[in-house]
Coordinates of all heavy atoms in Angstrom, one line a residue:
M1 N -20.0 -22.5 4.6 CA -21.2 -21.7 4.3 C -21.9 -21.4 5.6 O -22.0 -22.2 6.5 CB -22.2 -22.6 3.5 CG -21.7 -22.8 2.0 SD -23.0 -23.7 1.0 CE -24.0 -22.3 0.5
T2 N -22.4 -20.1 5.7 CA -23.1 -19.7 6.9 C -24.5 -20.3 6.8 O -25.0 -20.8 5.8 CB -23.2 -18.2 6.9 OG1 -24.0 -17.8 5.8 CG2 -21.9 -17.5 6.8
D3 N -25.2 -20.3 8.0 CA -26.6 -20.7 8.0 C -27.4 -20.0 7.0 O -28.3 -20.6 6.3 CB -27.2 -20.5 9.4 CG -26.6 -21.4 10.5 OD1 -25.8 -22.3 10.1 OD2 -26.9 -21.2 11.6
E4 N -27.2 -18.7 6.8 CA -27.9 -17.9 5.9 C -27.6 -18.4 4.4 O -28.5 -18.5 3.6 CB -27.6 -16.4 6.0 CG -28.4 -15.5 5.2 CD -28.1 -14.1 5.4 OE1 -27.4 -13.7 6.3 OE2 -28.5 -13.3 4.5
D5 N -26.4 -18.7 4.2 CA -26.0 -19.2 2.8 C -26.7 -20.5 2.5 O -27.3 -20.7 1.4 CB -24.5 -19.5 2.8 CG -23.6 -18.2 2.8 OD1 -24.1 -17.2 2.3 OD2 -22.5 -18.4 3.2
V6 N -26.8 -21.4 3.5 CA -27.5 -22.7 3.4 C -28.9 -22.5 3.1 O -29.5 -23.1 2.2 CB -27.3 -23.6 4.6 CG1 -28.2 -24.8 4.5 CG2 -25.8 -24.0 4.7
I7 N -29.6 -21.6 3.8 CA -31.0 -21.3 3.6 C -31.3 -20.8 2.3 O -32.2 -21.2 1.5 CB -31.5 -20.4 4.7 CG1 -31.5 -21.1 6.1 CG2 -32.9 -19.9 4.4 CD1 -31.7 -20.2 7.3
K8 N -30.5 -19.8 1.9 CA -30.7 -19.2 0.5 C -30.5 -20.2 -0.6 O -31.2 -20.2 -1.5 CB -29.7 -18.0 0.4 CG -30.2 -16.8 1.2 CD -29.2 -15.7 1.3 CE -28.6 -15.2 0.1 NZ -27.6 -14.1 0.3
A9 N -29.4 -20.9 -0.5 CA -29.1 -21.9 -1.6 C -30.1 -23.0 -1.6 O -30.6 -23.4 -2.7 CB -27.7 -22.5 -1.4
S10 N -30.5 -23.5 -0.5 CA -31.5 -24.6 -0.5 C -32.8 -24.1 -1.0 O -33.6 -24.8 -1.7 CB -31.6 -25.3 0.9 OG -32.0 -24.3 1.9
T11 N -33.2 -22.9 -0.6 CA -34.4 -22.3 -1.1 C -34.4 -22.2 -2.7 O -35.3 -22.5 -3.4 CB -34.7 -20.9 -0.5 OG1 -34.8 -21.1 0.9 CG2 -36.0 -20.3 -1.0
L12 N -33.3 -21.7 -3.2 CA -33.1 -21.6 -4.6 C -33.3 -22.9 -5.3 O -33.8 -23.0 -6.4 CB -31.7 -21.0 -4.9 CG -31.4 -20.7 -6.4 CD1 -32.1 -19.4 -6.8 CD2 -29.9 -20.6 -6.6
L13 N -32.7 -24.0 -4.7 CA -32.8 -25.3 -5.3 C -34.1 -26.0 -5.0 O -34.3 -27.2 -5.4 CB -31.6 -26.1 -4.9 CG -30.2 -25.6 -5.3 CD1 -29.1 -26.4 -4.7 CD2 -30.1 -25.6 -6.8
N14 N -34.9 -25.4 -4.2 CA -36.2 -25.9 -3.8 C -36.1 -27.3 -3.0 O -36.8 -28.2 -3.3 CB -37.1 -26.1 -5.0 CG -38.6 -26.1 -4.7 OD1 -39.0 -25.6 -3.7 ND2 -39.4 -26.7 -5.5
I15 N -35.1 -27.3 -2.1 CA -35.0 -28.5 -1.2 C -34.8 -27.9 0.2 O -34.6 -26.7 0.4 CB -33.8 -29.4 -1.6 CG1 -32.5 -28.6 -1.6 CG2 -34.0 -30.0 -3.0 CD1 -31.2 -29.4 -1.8
T16 N -34.9 -28.8 1.2 CA -34.7 -28.3 2.5 C -33.3 -28.1 2.9 O -32.4 -28.6 2.2 CB -35.3 -29.4 3.6 OG1 -34.4 -30.5 3.5 CG2 -36.7 -29.7 3.2
S17 N -33.0 -27.3 3.9 CA -31.6 -27.0 4.3 C -30.9 -28.3 4.7 O -29.8 -28.5 4.4 CB -31.6 -26.1 5.5 OG -32.1 -24.8 5.1
I18 N -31.7 -29.2 5.3 CA -31.1 -30.5 5.7 C -30.7 -31.3 4.5 O -29.6 -31.9 4.4 CB -32.1 -31.3 6.6 CG1 -32.4 -30.6 7.9 CG2 -31.5 -32.7 6.9 CD1 -31.2 -30.4 8.8
E19 N -31.6 -31.4 3.5 CA -31.2 -32.1 2.3 C -30.0 -31.5 1.6 O -29.1 -32.2 1.1 CB -32.4 -32.0 1.3 CG -33.6 -32.9 1.7 CD -34.8 -32.7 0.8 OE1 -35.2 -31.5 0.6 OE2 -35.3 -33.7 0.3
F20 N -30.0 -30.1 1.6 CA -28.8 -29.4 1.0 C -27.5 -29.8 1.7 O -26.5 -30.1 1.0 CB -29.1 -27.9 1.0 CG -28.0 -27.1 0.4 CD1 -28.0 -26.9 -1.0 CD2 -27.0 -26.6 1.1 CE1 -27.0 -26.2 -1.6 CE2 -26.0 -25.9 0.5 CZ -26.0 -25.6 -0.9
I21 N -27.6 -29.8 3.0 CA -26.3 -30.1 3.7 C -25.9 -31.5 3.5 O -24.7 -31.7 3.2 CB -26.6 -29.9 5.2 CG1 -26.7 -28.4 5.5 CG2 -25.5 -30.5 6.1 CD1 -27.3 -28.0 6.9
H22 N -26.8 -32.4 3.5 CA -26.4 -33.9 3.3 C -25.9 -34.1 1.9 O -25.0 -34.9 1.7 CB -27.6 -34.8 3.6 CG -27.8 -35.0 5.1 ND1 -27.0 -35.7 5.9 CD2 -28.8 -34.5 5.9 CE1 -27.4 -35.6 7.2 NE2 -28.5 -34.9 7.2
K23 N -26.6 -33.4 0.9 CA -26.2 -33.7 -0.5 C -25.0 -33.0 -0.9 O -24.2 -33.6 -1.7 CB -27.4 -33.3 -1.3 CG -27.4 -33.8 -2.7 CD -28.7 -33.7 -3.5 CE -28.6 -34.2 -4.9 NZ -29.8 -34.0 -5.6
Y24 N -24.8 -31.8 -0.5 CA -23.7 -31.0 -1.1 C -22.6 -30.5 -0.2 O -21.6 -30.0 -0.7 CB -24.4 -29.7 -1.7 CG -25.4 -30.0 -2.8 CD1 -26.7 -29.7 -2.6 CD2 -25.0 -30.6 -4.0 CE1 -27.7 -30.0 -3.6 CE2 -25.9 -30.9 -5.0 CZ -27.2 -30.5 -4.8 OH -28.2 -30.8 -5.8
L25 N -22.7 -30.6 1.1 CA -21.7 -30.0 1.9 C -20.9 -31.0 2.7 O -21.3 -32.1 3.0 CB -22.4 -29.0 2.9 CG -23.2 -27.9 2.3 CD1 -23.7 -26.9 3.3 CD2 -22.4 -27.1 1.2
K26 N -19.7 -30.6 3.1 CA -18.8 -31.3 4.0 C -18.8 -30.5 5.3 O -19.1 -29.3 5.3 CB -17.4 -31.5 3.4 CG -17.4 -32.2 2.1 CD -17.3 -33.6 2.3 CE -17.1 -34.3 0.9 NZ -17.2 -35.7 1.0
H27 N -18.3 -31.1 6.3 CA -18.2 -30.4 7.6 C -16.8 -30.6 8.1 O -16.2 -31.7 8.1 CB -19.2 -30.9 8.6 CG -19.1 -30.2 9.9 ND1 -18.3 -30.6 11.0 CD2 -19.6 -29.0 10.3 CE1 -18.4 -29.7 12.0 NE2 -19.2 -28.8 11.6
H28 N -16.2 -29.5 8.6 CA -14.9 -29.5 9.3 C -15.0 -28.8 10.6 O -15.7 -27.8 10.7 CB -13.8 -28.8 8.4 CG -12.4 -29.0 9.0 ND1 -12.0 -28.2 10.0 CD2 -11.5 -29.8 8.6 CE1 -10.7 -28.6 10.3 NE2 -10.4 -29.6 9.4
E29 N -14.5 -29.4 11.7 CA -14.7 -28.9 13.0 C -14.2 -27.4 13.1 O -14.7 -26.7 14.0 CB -14.1 -29.8 14.1 CG -12.6 -29.9 14.0 CD -12.0 -30.8 15.0 OE1 -12.5 -32.0 15.1 OE2 -11.1 -30.4 15.8
D30 N -13.2 -27.0 12.4 CA -12.7 -25.7 12.5 C -13.4 -24.6 11.7 O -13.5 -23.5 12.0 CB -11.2 -25.6 12.1 CG -10.3 -26.4 13.0 OD1 -10.7 -26.5 14.2 OD2 -9.2 -26.8 12.6
I31 N -13.9 -25.0 10.5 CA -14.5 -24.1 9.6 C -16.0 -24.3 9.4 O -16.7 -23.5 8.8 CB -13.8 -24.0 8.2 CG1 -13.9 -25.4 7.5 CG2 -12.4 -23.6 8.3 CD1 -13.4 -25.4 6.1
G32 N -16.5 -25.4 9.9 CA -18.0 -25.6 9.8 C -18.3 -26.2 8.4 O -17.5 -27.0 7.8
L33 N -19.4 -25.9 7.9 CA -19.9 -26.4 6.6 C -19.3 -25.8 5.4 O -19.1 -24.5 5.4 CB -21.4 -26.3 6.5 CG -22.3 -27.0 7.6 CD1 -23.7 -26.6 7.5 CD2 -22.2 -28.5 7.3
Y34 N -18.9 -26.6 4.4 CA -18.2 -26.0 3.2 C -18.5 -26.9 2.0 O -18.9 -28.0 2.1 CB -16.7 -25.9 3.4 CG -16.0 -27.2 3.6 CD1 -15.4 -27.8 2.5 CD2 -16.0 -27.9 4.8 CE1 -14.7 -29.0 2.6 CE2 -15.3 -29.1 4.9 CZ -14.7 -29.7 3.8 OH -14.1 -30.9 3.9
I35 N -18.3 -26.2 0.9 CA -18.5 -26.9 -0.4 C -17.1 -27.4 -0.8 O -16.1 -26.7 -0.8 CB -19.0 -26.0 -1.5 CG1 -20.3 -25.4 -1.2 CG2 -19.0 -26.8 -2.9 CD1 -20.8 -24.3 -2.1
E36 N -17.0 -28.7 -1.0 CA -15.6 -29.3 -1.3 C -15.3 -29.0 -2.8 O -16.0 -29.2 -3.7 CB -15.6 -30.8 -1.1 CG -14.3 -31.4 -1.3 CD -14.2 -32.9 -1.0 OE1 -15.0 -33.6 -1.6 OE2 -13.5 -33.2 -0.1
V37 N -14.1 -28.4 -3.0 CA -13.6 -28.1 -4.3 C -12.1 -28.6 -4.3 O -11.3 -28.1 -3.5 CB -13.6 -26.6 -4.6 CG1 -13.0 -26.3 -6.0 CG2 -15.0 -26.0 -4.5
L38 N -11.8 -29.5 -5.1 CA -10.5 -30.1 -5.2 C -9.9 -29.8 -6.6 O -10.6 -29.4 -7.5 CB -10.5 -31.6 -5.0 CG -11.2 -32.0 -3.7 CD1 -11.3 -33.6 -3.7 CD2 -10.4 -31.6 -2.5
E39 N -8.6 -30.0 -6.7 CA -7.9 -29.7 -8.0 C -8.5 -30.4 -9.1 O -8.7 -29.9 -10.2 CB -6.4 -30.0 -7.8 CG -5.6 -29.3 -8.9 CD -4.3 -28.9 -8.3 OE1 -4.2 -28.6 -7.1 OE2 -3.4 -28.7 -9.1
D40 N -8.8 -31.7 -8.9 CA -9.4 -32.5 -10.0 C -10.9 -32.7 -9.8 O -11.5 -33.5 -10.5 CB -8.7 -33.9 -10.0 CG -8.9 -34.6 -8.6 OD1 -9.3 -34.0 -7.7 OD2 -8.7 -35.8 -8.6
K41 N -11.5 -31.9 -8.9 CA -13.0 -32.0 -8.7 C -13.5 -30.6 -8.5 O -13.5 -30.1 -7.4 CB -13.3 -32.9 -7.6 CG -14.7 -33.1 -7.3 CD -14.9 -34.1 -6.1 CE -16.3 -34.1 -5.6 NZ -16.5 -33.7 -4.3
P42 N -14.0 -30.0 -9.6 CA -14.6 -28.6 -9.4 C -15.8 -28.6 -8.5 O -16.4 -29.7 -8.3 CB -14.9 -28.2 -10.8 CG -14.7 -29.3 -11.7 CD -14.1 -30.4 -10.9
C43 N -16.2 -27.5 -8.1 CA -17.4 -27.4 -7.3 C -18.6 -28.0 -8.0 O -18.8 -27.9 -9.2 CB -17.7 -25.9 -7.1 SG -19.2 -25.6 -6.1
V44 N -19.4 -28.7 -7.2 CA -20.6 -29.4 -7.8 C -21.6 -28.4 -8.4 O -22.4 -28.8 -9.3 CB -21.3 -30.2 -6.7 CG1 -21.9 -29.3 -5.6 CG2 -22.3 -31.2 -7.2
F45 N -21.5 -27.1 -8.1 CA -22.4 -26.1 -8.6 C -21.9 -25.4 -9.8 O -22.5 -24.5 -10.3 CB -22.8 -25.1 -7.5 CG -23.5 -25.7 -6.4 CD1 -22.9 -25.8 -5.1 CD2 -24.7 -26.3 -6.5 CE1 -23.5 -26.4 -4.0 CE2 -25.4 -26.9 -5.5 CZ -24.8 -26.9 -4.2
L46 N -20.7 -25.8 -10.3 CA -20.1 -25.2 -11.5 C -20.6 -25.9 -12.7 O -20.3 -27.1 -12.9 CB -18.6 -25.2 -11.4 CG -17.9 -24.4 -12.5 CD1 -18.2 -22.9 -12.5 CD2 -16.4 -24.7 -12.5
K47 N -21.3 -25.2 -13.6 CA -21.8 -25.9 -14.8 C -21.5 -24.9 -16.0 O -22.0 -23.8 -15.9 CB -23.3 -26.2 -14.7 CG -23.9 -26.8 -15.8 CD -24.0 -28.3 -15.7 CE -24.8 -28.8 -16.9 NZ -24.7 -30.2 -17.1
D48 N -20.8 -25.3 -17.0 CA -20.6 -24.5 -18.2 C -20.0 -23.1 -17.7 O -20.3 -22.1 -18.3 CB -21.8 -24.2 -19.0 CG -22.4 -25.5 -19.6 OD1 -21.6 -26.5 -19.9 OD2 -23.6 -25.6 -19.7
N49 N -19.0 -23.2 -16.8 CA -18.3 -22.0 -16.3 C -19.2 -21.0 -15.6 O -18.9 -19.9 -15.4 CB -17.6 -21.3 -17.4 CG -16.2 -21.9 -17.6 OD1 -15.8 -22.7 -16.8 ND2 -15.5 -21.5 -18.6
K50 N -20.4 -21.5 -15.2 CA -21.3 -20.6 -14.4 C -21.7 -21.3 -13.1 O -21.8 -22.5 -13.0 CB -22.6 -20.4 -15.2 CG -22.3 -19.7 -16.6 CD -23.3 -18.6 -16.9 CE -22.9 -17.9 -18.1 NZ -23.3 -16.8 -18.5
C51 N -22.0 -20.4 -12.2 CA -22.4 -20.9 -10.8 C -23.9 -21.2 -10.8 O -24.7 -20.2 -11.0 CB -22.0 -19.9 -9.8 SG -22.5 -20.4 -8.1
L52 N -24.3 -22.4 -10.6 CA -25.8 -22.8 -10.6 C -26.5 -22.1 -9.4 O -27.7 -22.0 -9.4 CB -25.9 -24.3 -10.5 CG -25.5 -25.0 -11.8 CD1 -25.7 -26.5 -11.6 CD2 -26.2 -24.6 -13.0
I53 N -25.8 -21.7 -8.4 CA -26.4 -21.1 -7.2 C -26.0 -19.6 -7.1 O -25.8 -19.1 -6.0 CB -26.2 -21.8 -5.9 CG1 -24.7 -22.0 -5.6 CG2 -26.9 -23.2 -5.9 CD1 -24.4 -22.5 -4.2
N54 N -25.7 -19.0 -8.3 CA -25.1 -17.7 -8.3 C -25.8 -16.7 -7.4 O -25.2 -15.9 -6.7 CB -25.1 -17.2 -9.8 CG -24.3 -15.9 -9.9 OD1 -23.1 -15.9 -9.6 ND2 -24.9 -14.9 -10.4
D55 N -27.1 -16.7 -7.4 CA -27.9 -15.7 -6.6 C -27.8 -16.0 -5.1 O -28.2 -15.1 -4.4 CB -29.3 -15.6 -7.1 CG -29.5 -15.0 -8.5 OD1 -28.5 -14.3 -8.9 OD2 -30.5 -15.2 -9.1
S56 N -27.3 -17.1 -4.8 CA -27.2 -17.4 -3.3 C -25.9 -18.1 -3.0 O -25.8 -18.8 -2.1 CB -28.4 -18.3 -2.9 OG -28.4 -19.4 -3.7
K57 N -24.9 -17.8 -3.8 CA -23.6 -18.5 -3.5 C -23.0 -17.9 -2.2 O -23.3 -16.8 -1.8 CB -22.6 -18.3 -4.7 CG -22.2 -16.9 -5.0 CD -21.5 -16.9 -6.4 CE -21.3 -15.5 -6.9 NZ -20.9 -15.5 -8.3
P58 N -22.1 -18.7 -1.6 CA -21.5 -18.3 -0.3 C -20.8 -17.0 -0.4 O -20.2 -16.6 -1.4 CB -20.6 -19.5 0.0 CG -20.9 -20.6 -0.9 CD -21.6 -20.0 -2.1
E59 N -20.7 -16.4 0.8 CA -20.0 -15.1 0.8 C -18.6 -15.2 0.3 O -18.1 -14.3 -0.4 CB -19.9 -14.6 2.3 CG -19.2 -13.2 2.4 CD -19.1 -12.7 3.8 OE1 -19.7 -13.3 4.7 OE2 -18.5 -11.7 4.0
Q60 N -17.9 -16.3 0.6 CA -16.5 -16.4 0.1 C -16.4 -16.4 -1.4 O -15.5 -15.8 -2.0 CB -16.0 -17.8 0.6 CG -14.5 -17.9 0.4 CD -14.0 -19.2 1.1 OE1 -14.7 -20.1 1.3 NE2 -12.7 -19.2 1.3
C61 N -17.4 -16.9 -2.1 CA -17.5 -16.8 -3.6 C -17.9 -15.4 -4.0 O -17.4 -14.9 -5.0 CB -18.4 -17.9 -4.1 SG -18.0 -19.6 -3.6
R62 N -18.9 -14.8 -3.3 CA -19.4 -13.5 -3.7 C -18.3 -12.5 -3.6 O -18.2 -11.5 -4.4 CB -20.5 -13.1 -2.8 CG -21.8 -13.8 -3.1 CD -23.0 -13.0 -2.4 NE -22.8 -12.7 -1.1 CZ -23.1 -13.5 0.0 NH1 -23.6 -14.7 -0.3 NH2 -22.9 -13.1 1.2
T63 N -17.4 -12.6 -2.7 CA -16.4 -11.6 -2.4 C -15.1 -11.8 -3.1 O -14.2 -11.0 -3.0 CB -16.2 -11.4 -0.9 OG1 -15.8 -12.6 -0.4 CG2 -17.5 -10.9 -0.2
F64 N -14.9 -13.0 -3.6 CA -13.6 -13.4 -4.3 C -13.3 -12.4 -5.4 O -14.2 -12.1 -6.2 CB -13.6 -14.8 -4.8 CG -12.4 -15.2 -5.5 CD1 -11.3 -15.6 -4.8 CD2 -12.3 -15.0 -6.9 CE1 -10.1 -16.0 -5.5 CE2 -11.1 -15.4 -7.6 CZ -10.0 -15.8 -6.9
P65 N -12.1 -11.9 -5.6 CA -10.9 -12.2 -4.8 C -10.6 -11.2 -3.7 O -9.5 -11.1 -3.2 CB -9.8 -12.1 -5.9 CG -10.3 -11.0 -6.8 CD -11.8 -11.1 -6.8
Y66 N -11.6 -10.4 -3.3 CA -11.4 -9.3 -2.3 C -11.4 -9.9 -0.9 O -12.2 -9.4 -0.1 CB -12.4 -8.2 -2.6 CG -12.1 -7.5 -3.9 CD1 -12.7 -7.9 -5.0 CD2 -11.2 -6.5 -4.0 CE1 -12.4 -7.3 -6.3 CE2 -10.9 -5.8 -5.2 CZ -11.5 -6.3 -6.3 OH -11.2 -5.7 -7.5
W67 N -10.5 -10.8 -0.7 CA -10.4 -11.4 0.7 C -9.3 -10.7 1.4 O -8.4 -10.2 0.8 CB -10.1 -12.9 0.6 CG -11.1 -13.7 -0.1 CD1 -12.4 -13.4 -0.4 CD2 -11.0 -15.1 -0.6 NE1 -13.1 -14.4 -1.0 CE2 -12.2 -15.5 -1.1 CE3 -9.9 -16.0 -0.5 CZ2 -12.4 -16.7 -1.7 CZ3 -10.1 -17.3 -1.1 CH2 -11.4 -17.6 -1.6
E68 N -9.4 -10.7 2.7 CA -8.5 -10.0 3.6 C -7.0 -10.3 3.2 O -6.2 -9.4 3.2 CB -8.7 -10.5 5.0 CG -8.0 -9.7 6.0 CD -8.4 -10.2 7.4 OE1 -9.6 -10.3 7.8 OE2 -7.4 -10.5 8.2
E69 N -6.7 -11.5 2.9 CA -5.3 -11.9 2.6 C -4.9 -11.4 1.2 O -3.7 -11.4 0.9 CB -5.1 -13.4 2.7 CG -5.9 -14.3 1.8 CD -7.2 -14.8 2.4 OE1 -7.9 -14.0 3.1 OE2 -7.5 -15.9 2.2
Y70 N -5.8 -10.9 0.4 CA -5.4 -10.5 -1.0 C -5.5 -9.0 -1.2 O -5.3 -8.6 -2.3 CB -6.4 -11.2 -2.0 CG -6.2 -12.7 -2.1 CD1 -7.3 -13.5 -2.4 CD2 -5.0 -13.4 -1.9 CE1 -7.2 -14.9 -2.5 CE2 -4.9 -14.7 -1.9 CZ -6.0 -15.5 -2.3 OH -5.9 -16.8 -2.3
V71 N -5.9 -8.3 -0.2 CA -6.0 -6.8 -0.4 C -5.2 -6.0 0.6 O -4.9 -6.5 1.7 CB -7.5 -6.3 -0.3 CG1 -8.4 -6.9 -1.4 CG2 -8.1 -6.6 1.1
D72 N -4.8 -4.8 0.2 CA -4.1 -4.0 1.1 C -5.1 -3.2 2.0 O -6.3 -3.4 1.9 CB -3.1 -3.0 0.4 CG -3.8 -2.0 -0.5 OD1 -5.0 -1.8 -0.3 OD2 -3.1 -1.5 -1.4
K73 N -4.6 -2.3 2.8 CA -5.4 -1.6 3.8 C -6.4 -0.7 3.1 O -7.4 -0.3 3.7 CB -4.6 -0.8 4.8 CG -3.8 0.2 4.2 CD -2.9 0.9 5.2 CE -2.2 2.0 4.5 NZ -1.3 2.8 5.2
N74 N -6.2 -0.4 1.8 CA -7.1 0.5 1.0 C -8.1 -0.3 0.2 O -8.9 0.2 -0.6 CB -6.3 1.4 0.1 CG -5.4 2.4 0.9 OD1 -5.9 2.9 1.9 ND2 -4.2 2.6 0.5
G75 N -8.0 -1.6 0.3 CA -8.9 -2.5 -0.5 C -8.4 -2.8 -1.9 O -9.1 -3.4 -2.7
N76 N -7.1 -2.5 -2.2 CA -6.6 -2.7 -3.5 C -6.0 -4.2 -3.5 O -5.4 -4.6 -2.6 CB -5.5 -1.8 -3.8 CG -6.0 -0.3 -3.9 OD1 -7.0 0.0 -4.5 ND2 -5.3 0.6 -3.2
L77 N -6.3 -4.8 -4.6 CA -5.8 -6.2 -4.8 C -4.2 -6.2 -4.8 O -3.6 -5.4 -5.4 CB -6.3 -6.8 -6.1 CG -7.7 -7.4 -6.1 CD1 -8.1 -7.8 -7.5 CD2 -7.9 -8.5 -5.1
L78 N -3.7 -7.2 -4.0 CA -2.2 -7.3 -3.9 C -1.7 -8.2 -5.0 O -0.5 -8.3 -5.3 CB -1.8 -7.9 -2.6 CG -2.2 -7.0 -1.4 CD1 -2.0 -7.8 -0.1 CD2 -1.4 -5.7 -1.4
R79 N -2.5 -8.9 -5.7 CA -2.1 -9.8 -6.8 C -3.2 -9.9 -7.9 O -4.3 -9.5 -7.6 CB -1.7 -11.2 -6.3 CG -2.9 -11.8 -5.5 CD -2.9 -13.3 -5.5 NE -2.0 -13.9 -4.6 CZ -1.9 -15.2 -4.4 NH1 -2.7 -16.0 -5.1 NH2 -1.1 -15.7 -3.5
R80 N -2.8 -10.3 -9.0 CA -3.8 -10.5 -10.1 C -4.0 -11.9 -10.5 O -5.0 -12.2 -11.2 CB -3.2 -9.7 -11.4 CG -3.1 -8.2 -11.2 CD -4.5 -7.6 -11.3 NE -4.4 -6.2 -10.8 CZ -5.4 -5.5 -10.3 NH1 -6.6 -6.0 -10.2 NH2 -5.2 -4.3 -9.9
K81 N -3.2 -12.8 -10.1 CA -3.3 -14.2 -10.4 C -3.6 -15.0 -9.2 O -3.0 -14.8 -8.1 CB -2.1 -14.7 -11.1 CG -1.9 -14.1 -12.5 CD -0.9 -14.9 -13.3 CE -0.9 -14.3 -14.7 NZ -0.1 -15.1 -15.6
F82 N -4.5 -16.0 -9.3 CA -4.8 -16.9 -8.2 C -4.7 -18.3 -8.6 O -4.9 -18.6 -9.8 CB -6.3 -16.5 -7.8 CG -6.4 -15.1 -7.4 CD1 -6.8 -14.2 -8.3 CD2 -6.1 -14.7 -6.1 CE1 -6.9 -12.8 -8.0 CE2 -6.2 -13.4 -5.7 CZ -6.6 -12.4 -6.7
D83 N -4.4 -19.2 -7.7 CA -4.1 -20.6 -8.0 C -5.3 -21.3 -8.7 O -5.1 -21.8 -9.8 CB -3.7 -21.3 -6.8 CG -2.4 -20.8 -6.2 OD1 -1.7 -20.1 -6.9 OD2 -2.2 -21.0 -5.0
R84 N -6.4 -21.3 -8.1 CA -7.5 -22.0 -8.7 C -8.8 -21.2 -8.5 O -9.7 -21.6 -7.8 CB -7.7 -23.4 -8.0 CG -6.5 -24.3 -8.3 CD -6.8 -25.7 -7.6 NE -6.8 -25.6 -6.2 CZ -7.7 -26.1 -5.4 NH1 -8.8 -26.7 -5.9 NH2 -7.6 -26.0 -4.1
P85 N -8.9 -20.1 -9.3 CA -10.2 -19.4 -9.1 C -11.3 -20.1 -9.8 O -11.2 -20.8 -10.8 CB -9.8 -18.1 -9.9 CG -8.8 -18.5 -10.9 CD -8.0 -19.6 -10.2
C86 N -12.5 -20.1 -9.1 CA -13.7 -20.7 -9.7 C -14.2 -19.7 -10.7 O -14.5 -18.6 -10.4 CB -14.7 -21.0 -8.7 SG -16.2 -21.6 -9.4
P87 N -14.4 -20.1 -12.0 CA -15.0 -19.2 -13.0 C -16.4 -18.8 -12.6 O -16.9 -17.7 -12.9 CB -15.1 -20.1 -14.3 CG -14.4 -21.3 -14.0 CD -14.1 -21.4 -12.5
G88 N -17.1 -19.6 -11.8 CA -18.4 -19.2 -11.3 C -18.5 -18.1 -10.3 O -19.5 -17.4 -10.1
A89 N -17.3 -17.8 -9.7 CA -17.3 -16.7 -8.7 C -17.6 -15.4 -9.4 O -18.1 -14.4 -8.8 CB -16.0 -16.6 -8.0
K90 N -17.3 -15.3 -10.7 CA -17.5 -14.0 -11.4 C -18.8 -14.0 -12.2 O -19.1 -13.0 -12.8 CB -16.3 -13.7 -12.3 CG -15.1 -13.4 -11.5 CD -13.9 -13.1 -12.4 CE -12.7 -12.8 -11.6 NZ -11.5 -12.7 -12.4
S91 N -19.5 -15.2 -12.3 CA -20.6 -15.2 -13.2 C -21.8 -14.4 -12.6 O -21.9 -14.3 -11.4 CB -21.1 -16.7 -13.4 OG -21.4 -17.3 -12.2
K92 N -22.6 -13.9 -13.4 CA -23.8 -13.1 -13.0 C -25.0 -13.8 -13.5 O -25.1 -14.5 -14.4 CB -23.7 -11.7 -13.6 CG -22.6 -10.9 -13.1 CD -22.9 -10.3 -11.8 CE -21.7 -9.5 -11.3 NZ -21.8 -9.2 -9.9
Ligands
SF4_1 S1 -18.9 -19.6 -7.2 FE1 -17.9 -21.5 -7.8 S2 -17.2 -22.4 -5.9 FE2 -18.7 -20.9 -5.4 S3 -20.6 -22.0 -5.3 FE3 -20.5 -21.2 -7.3 S4 -19.6 -22.8 -8.6 FE4 -19.2 -23.3 -6.4

C-alpha cells in the first residue's frame, strides 16, 4: 500500500495511519507495506464477498486485473482466468 492508500483507508476506518499499519499490514523490504492474503486466509477486509475499504482500497486492487503483466500493449487482457482473484476487487 502506498502512503496515500494508508491515509485513505485509515481515514475511512476512523483510526490513525499508525494504528492501521500495526493492525492490518505487513512489511517486506522489497515491496513495503502490504495486506497479507494467503490461499487459506482471505484479505482481512473481505466480508460477504465485498471489500470493506472499497472506496479506499489499494491501487493494486482498484486496477485488478489490468496489471502490466496481464495486458497487451493496447491494454487488452491477455487472459480471463486468474488464480486467486479477490471478489472484493470488483465490488462497488
Ligand atoms: S479488494 Fe480484496 S484484497 Fe483488496 S483490500 Fe479489498 S478485500 Fe482486500
Side-chain angles (χ1 to χ4, degrees):
M1 292 185 84
T2 65
D3 290 350
E4 188 179 345
D5 290 334
V6 169
I7 291 168
K8 283 166 55 180
S10 60
T11 300
L12 183 78
L13 297 174
N14 204 23
I15 59 177
T16 68
S17 295
I18 298 296
E19 287 173 312
F20 182 84
I21 289 168
H22 282 290
K23 191 168 182 182
Y24 298 114
L25 303 185
K26 302 271 186 191
H27 181 267
H28 188 280
E29 63 183 52
D30 292 334
I31 60 172
L33 295 168
Y34 66 97
I35 301 169
E36 185 173 58
V37 179
L38 304 173
E39 199 142 335
D40 59 346
K41 181 180 171 237
C43 177
V44 66
F45 298 114
L46 186 65
K47 178 98 172 163
D48 298 329
N49 275 351
K50 300 219 174 197
C51 176
L52 294 178
I53 57 168
N54 191 57
D55 290 340
S56 54
K57 61 189 168 193
E59 181 181 354
Q60 194 173 18
C61 302
R62 284 196 313 271
T63 58
F64 178 84
Y66 293 91
W67 297 347
E68 191 179 307
E69 61 267 42
Y70 295 149
V71 295
D72 65 18
K73 64 180 182 185
N74 297 315
N76 299 312
L77 280 176
L78 297 170
R79 54 153 84 174
R80 295 283 170 206
K81 292 194 171 188
F82 301 92
D83 295 341
R84 291 183 295 127
C86 174
K90 293 181 180 170
S91 61
K92 293 278 177 193

